[in-house]
């Protein structure tokens, strides 16, 4: 048998949703897979490798410094820890006990999501600000920048900002106000690529730290991510992440990452130790990042549209349903929606989603709009030949029970 998954007895799925963690992330390009294989065949000093990767990340993001994490969520944990402890190794050793430290992180209430578990893991409390009554339909407003300024106090370690197309208040206003109070802003930009410009955008808008996923559009290893931003904060994150099981006299950290001369001693294994990163991930992430920024965005989009057209073309006319392809250049990732007339068909979009998932081959569609009677298909994890299989499965499901 040829495929490692077959040998293990694990089904291979068709991922027409996108690079979700529960669906095992993105597909590595052959160059990235080969770079990881090559990396796996030699040992290096991991701090030296991180320092070099950090230089590449800094160059591509415009940040002072960068670091490879095991994902955006790990970046949020490390970034929060850095904001709480600064360069103090005694404090680093005491986390997640934040007694005597700044231990509150302010977040606009409409930015709350369960990835902020990673932030809370550092031992801080989230302080929600503002009422997003535009979402409850009771009003038109959301958190405003002045409310963040109003909430900042002596316990504030950072402001957490979750970047999204619809996120308010504007990041620039938030960083201005936070900086006026000497408070850093940590941005969760996990899924904000493409466009590649966003690698620089949040730093340019004043963010002190930005976390990206490596396993989404960058197509790096699934357990990889980027943390970039202020040099002193990246240094603190590295100190709380790197393995420091080494004698002080022997310890020779790369100067571009860690200033040994400012430390009274080295911290021990830090709060970031459970999200360690291997040489294979660091090399894979950097290789994928370089390929991602070099790729022509127009060519990437056209390739994605073709994959989605393959689904639509193979499925043909489906009873009581119609396709809608969204290819808005400003959205960057095109999407195919299948809008179902649930009453006429006598089946819900959720039924169809489950039928696709539970059939053979198992097809994963996007669940985000099933409540509106819509299945969505994303192109990012489709292999050649997959769109036709999705189209055939749709025909089967729609026509079998007519
Ligand atoms: C995907 C995502 C994360 C988690 O990213 P990982 O790289 O999987 O750790 C965090 N925040 C948001 C908003 C995300 O979309």
């Amino acid at each position: 048998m040829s495929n490692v998954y077959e040998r293990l007895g694990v089904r291979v799925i068709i991922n027409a949703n996108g690079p979700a963690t529960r669906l095992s992330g993105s597909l590595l390009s052959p160059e990235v897979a080969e770079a990881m294989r090559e990396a796996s065949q030699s040992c290096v000093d991991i701090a030296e490798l991180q320092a070099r990767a950090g230089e590449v990340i800094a160059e591509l993001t415009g940040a002072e410094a960068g670091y490879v994490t095991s994902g955006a969520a790990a970046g949020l944990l490390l970034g929060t820890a850095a904001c709480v402890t600064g360069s103090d190794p005694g404090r680093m050793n005491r986390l997640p006990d934040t007694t005597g430290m700044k231990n509150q992180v302010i977040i606009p209430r409409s930015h709350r999501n369960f990835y902020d578990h990673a932030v809370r893991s550092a031992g801080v409390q989230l302080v929600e600000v503002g009422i997003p009554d535009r979402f409850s339909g009771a009003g038109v407003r959301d958190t405003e920048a002045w409310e963040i300024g109003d909430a900042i106090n002596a316990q504030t370690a950072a402001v957490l900002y979750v970047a999204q197309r619809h996120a308010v208040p504007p990041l620039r206003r938030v960083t201005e106000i936070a900086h006026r109070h000497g408070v850093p802003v940590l941005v969760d930009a996990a899924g904000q690529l493409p466009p590649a410009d966003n690698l620089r955008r949040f730093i340019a808008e004043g963010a002190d730290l930005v976390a990206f996923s490596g396993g989404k559009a960058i197509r790096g290893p699934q357990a990889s991510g980027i943390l970039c931003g202020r040099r002193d904060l990246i240094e603190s994150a590295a100190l709380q992440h790197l393995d420091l099981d080494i004698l002080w006299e022997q310890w020779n950290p790369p100067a571009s990452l860690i200033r040994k001369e400012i430390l009274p001693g080295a911290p021990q294994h830090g709060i970031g130790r459970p999200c360690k990163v291997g040489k294979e991930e660091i090399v894979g992430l950097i290789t994928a990042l370089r390929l991602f920024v070099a790729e022509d965005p127009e060519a990437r989009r056209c390739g994605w549209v073709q994959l989605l057209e393959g689904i639509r073309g193979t499925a043909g006319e489906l009873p009581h349903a119609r396709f809608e392809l969204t290819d808005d250049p400003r959205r960057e990732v095109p999407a195919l929606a299948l809008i179902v007339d649930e009453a006429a068909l006598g089946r819900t979009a959720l039924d169809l989603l489950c039928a696709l998932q539970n059939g053979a081959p198992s097809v994963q569609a996007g669940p985000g709009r099933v409540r509106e009677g819509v299945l969505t298909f994303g192109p990012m994890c489709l292999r050649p030949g997959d769109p036709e299989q999705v189209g055939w499965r749709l025909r089967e499901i729609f026509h079998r029970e007519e």
Side-chain angles (χ1 to χ4, degrees):
M1 280 185 280
S2 61
N3 182 295
V4 68
Y5 292 117
E6 277 175 38
R7 295 196 295 277
L8 285 168
V10 173
R11 288 174 307 152
V12 167
I13 62 171
I14 294 179
N15 183 355
N17 180 4
T21 295
R22 75 184 166 89
L23 303 177
S24 71
S26 57
L27 298 169
L28 300 189
S29 66
E31 294 96 315
V32 173
E34 174 52 25
M36 291 178 76
R37 194 204 59 77
E38 210 178 300
S40 74
Q41 296 304 300
S42 309
C43 286
V44 294
D45 181 292
I46 202 81
E48 186 184 329
L49 180 59
Q50 275 284 14
R52 181 66 195 115
E55 288 169 7
V56 175
I57 291 168
E59 186 189 314
L60 293 176
T61 58
E64 286 175 11
Y67 196 76
V68 180
T69 64
S70 61
L76 295 178
L77 166 63
L78 291 171
T80 306
C83 292
V84 169
T85 65
S87 308
D88 181 337
R91 291 183 168 196
M92 294 177 191
N93 281 349
R94 291 201 292 281
L95 289 189
D97 177 355
T98 54
T99 309
M101 308 177 206
K102 295 183 178 195
N103 58 5
Q104 294 181 358
V105 171
I106 292 173
I107 180 170
R109 187 171 267 115
S110 57
H111 294 215
R112 280 303 307 274
N113 68 85
F114 259 95
Y115 292 110
D116 60 37
H117 219 132
V119 172
R120 291 181 285 132
S121 303
V124 301
Q125 235 178 5
L126 288 180
V127 176
E128 294 182 4
V129 171
I131 300 282
D133 60 6
R134 66 179 170 137
F135 290 110
S136 58
V140 296
R141 292 172 66 170
D142 201 326
T143 304
E144 293 172 5
W146 68 269
E147 293 176 289
I148 293 172
D150 196 44
I152 290 175
N153 65 61
Q155 286 308 108
T156 306
V159 174
L160 174 62
Y161 188 97
V162 182
Q164 289 286 344
R165 186 170 301 277
H166 56 260
V168 295
L171 178 59
R172 221 180 258 285
R173 294 278 298 123
V174 174
T175 58
E176 275 165 19
I177 286 189
H179 293 168
R180 210 175 295 154
H181 294 86
V183 170
V185 176
L186 168 59
V187 175
D188 176 352
Q192 296 307 297
L193 303 170
D197 295 350
N198 277 359
L199 282 168
R200 295 181 168 273
R201 174 171 153 209
F202 309 115
I203 291 291
E205 290 178 352
D208 297 272
L209 285 170
V210 184
F212 293 100
S213 289
K216 292 177 180 167
I218 292 174
R219 295 181 64 195
Q222 162 61 1
S224 73
I226 292 170
L227 185 65
C228 61
R230 256 167 54 191
R231 185 176 297 286
D232 61 316
L233 293 174
I234 293 294
E235 173 184 59
S236 174
L239 283 165
Q240 302 188 67
H241 183 253
L242 289 169
D243 182 297
L244 295 180
D245 190 14
I246 184 169
L247 298 171
W248 175 256
E249 294 77 8
Q250 185 196 356
W251 189 41
N252 211 359
S256 65
L257 187 60
I258 291 167
R259 297 162 295 170
K260 186 179 181 186
E261 68 279 8
I262 68 158
L263 298 169
Q268 306 279 6
H269 293 312
I271 190 122
R273 184 61 173 76
C275 43
K276 75 175 178 183
V277 180
K279 56 189 178 303
E280 299 83 3
E281 280 75 31
I282 299 173
V283 166
L285 184 275
I286 291 303
T287 307
L289 181 61
R290 284 180 156 154
L291 289 169
F292 173 74
V293 294
E295 191 176 1
D296 172 18
E298 201 46 39
R300 177 163 52 214
R301 228 183 75 232
C302 287
W304 280 339
V305 167
Q306 259 172 23
L307 287 165
L308 295 176
E309 290 287 11
I311 296 179
R312 174 156 74 177
T314 309
E317 287 292 317
L318 298 173
H320 310 300
R322 65 186 168 83
F323 283 108
E324 204 172 85
L325 183 78
T326 317
D327 179 22
D328 173 356
R330 283 165 312 167
R331 282 189 65 87
E332 292 274 342
V333 185
L336 182 67
L338 181 60
I339 300 152
V340 181
D341 184 341
E342 294 180 323
L345 184 66
R347 293 182 81 174
T348 64
L350 179 58
D351 286 340
L352 299 166
L353 183 85
C354 293
L356 281 172
Q357 170 182 279
N358 299 334
S362 173
V363 172
Q364 291 287 343
R369 295 177 61 195
V370 284
R371 285 184 196 83
E372 310 160 43
V374 178
L375 292 182
T376 54
F377 300 93
M380 291 167 76
C381 300
L382 291 172
R383 301 161 302 174
D386 280 349
E388 291 70 26
Q389 297 232 54
V390 177
W392 280 112
R393 291 280 298 121
L394 282 169
R395 289 175 66 119
E396 260 173 35
I397 286 168
F398 272 84
H399 292 291
R400 188 190 299 154
E401 284 155 40
E402 263 188 305

